[in-house]
Amino acid sequence: MPTTRRQFLSLAGSVTAAGTVPIITLRPLEATPAMLTTAIRNVVGEAQIRTGKVKLDIPPLVENGNTVPMTVSVASPMTANDYVKSIYVFNEKNPQPNIGNFHLGPAAGRAQVSTRIRLADTQKVVAIARLSDDTFWQVAADVVVTLAACTEEMN
Amino acid sequence: MAALINVPARAKRGDVIEIRTLTSHIMETGFRHTADGKLVPRDIITSFTCRYNGAEVFRADLFPAIAANPYLSFFTVAKESGKFEFEWIGDNGYSSTASASIIVE
């Protein structure tokens, strides 16, 4: 019998709920959205952050938070006068709000970076780009994680 | 330490080329505990740099949220034949380097 969308969603929902309950009890030191805001302000300062230009490719549903492929790209001509200086990636609920800072320049040719990250919980990932004119552009993506990373016990 | 580097061997002048690097490292977060409750100390790579004939073209600050065996892919413009040098720096004095050469026509 083919699985209907409703069945799949209820199943996915129950798996997520089952995965979340022990996380709440075991993980008192998760970053809070306030820490995310502080981490972003540390980078951006008082500058205004606009939405757009940045694209964040990350799977919306991941089974294993220990290695989540992620690609950030920025719409930029990458010329000597108009290029991306840096790309900053943040998370909402890992023990620490930073994921990575990537510094490029006009020599990059294309403003795109890929890596693999860890996510300790279902949460939001934010990518912010700093352009050569010191404007900041952001994008956010929600990721559902069924197996958390970072704080599990060692065997 | 072992590192896998992927740089095209040849490129046309002005081409945008992709560079992919993978190095082996545990990237211990410093947030995990052993079964008897001891905190496992942090041991991560904190910095990665790529230089193209001596000039820095890409640099990354890494945090515990980067997965074990850090993989990085980025781009640069092929300007001249020469050498890419890669350097990873981390906790406990960790340092590792690798290089790759390219012929630009």
Side-chain angles (χ1 to χ4, degrees):
Chain A
M1 193 188 85
T3 312
T4 63
R5 182 172 181 273
R6 179 167 301 189
Q7 282 169 335
F8 171 76
L9 286 177
S10 72
L11 190 66
S14 60
V15 167
T16 317
T20 331
V21 174
I23 292 169
I24 293 164
T25 52
L26 283 177
R27 196 165 292 116
L29 44 69
E30 70 180 22
T32 59
M35 283 169 72
L36 171 66
T37 313
T38 313
I40 291 176
R41 282 294 151 206
N42 281 345
V43 165
V44 173
E46 291 305 305
Q48 187 199 354
I49 311 171
R50 280 171 274 188
T51 304
K53 290 204 185 206
V54 189
K55 190 163 160 254
L56 179 57
D57 276 324
I58 191 165
L61 175 79
V62 295
E63 268 182 36
N64 185 348
N66 277 304
T67 170
V68 183
M70 174 198 84
T71 298
V72 186
S73 51
V74 186
S76 164
M78 296 306 273
T79 58
N81 303 321
D82 185 1
Y83 59 92
V84 177
K85 271 187 185 168
S86 303
I87 295 172
Y88 303 89
V89 186
F90 302 94
N91 68 78
E92 195 181 13
K93 289 186 180 167
N94 281 9
Q96 206 188 350
N98 298 80
I99 293 180
N101 306 334
F102 308 98
H103 308 284
L104 351 163
R110 185 184 304 172
Q112 181 179 326
V113 176
S114 306
T115 186
R116 296 179 190 138
I117 67 170
R118 289 174 169 140
L119 292 173
D121 203 347
T122 293
Q123 58 180 302
K124 191 167 78 174
V125 176
V126 181
I128 296 181
R130 178 188 200 140
L131 305 193
S132 49
D133 58 1
D134 284 322
T135 55
F136 292 90
W137 298 80
Q138 71 166 356
V139 68
D142 288 300
V143 185
V144 175
V145 179
T146 52
L147 174 67
C150 295
T151 47
E152 79 279 21
E153 275 191 359
M154 285 187 99
N155 294 314
Chain B
M1 287 299 275
L4 276 175
I5 307 290
N6 191 318
V7 174
R10 286 170 178 277
K12 282 205 195 91
R13 194 175 305 275
D15 275 2
V16 175
I17 55 168
E18 182 178 16
I19 297 175
R20 290 179 290 163
T21 68
L22 180 73
T23 190
S24 80
H25 195 285
I26 183 171
M27 293 296 276
E28 183 59 57
T29 60
F31 295 107
R32 299 200 300 162
H33 292 82
T34 55
D36 54 353
K38 284 203 201 86
L39 190 69
V40 184
R42 192 183 92 157
D43 181 13
I44 66 165
I45 291 176
T46 51
S47 166
F48 167 80
T49 314
C50 170
R51 291 185 195 86
Y52 183 11
N53 286 342
E56 179 185 301
V57 290
F58 179 81
R59 181 164 53 87
D61 310 321
L62 308 183
F63 293 88
I66 298 289
N69 304 324
Y71 165 81
L72 282 165
S73 146
F74 52 94
F75 292 82
T76 194
V77 177
K79 284 181 179 145
E80 56 198 4
S81 299
K83 203 164 137 190
F84 286 98
E85 289 166 300
F86 306 92
E87 188 180 26
W88 295 263
I89 294 171
D91 291 337
N92 310 316
Y94 178 88
S95 172
S96 149
T97 56
S99 66
S101 43
I102 184 169
I103 296 168
V104 176
E105 295 152 333

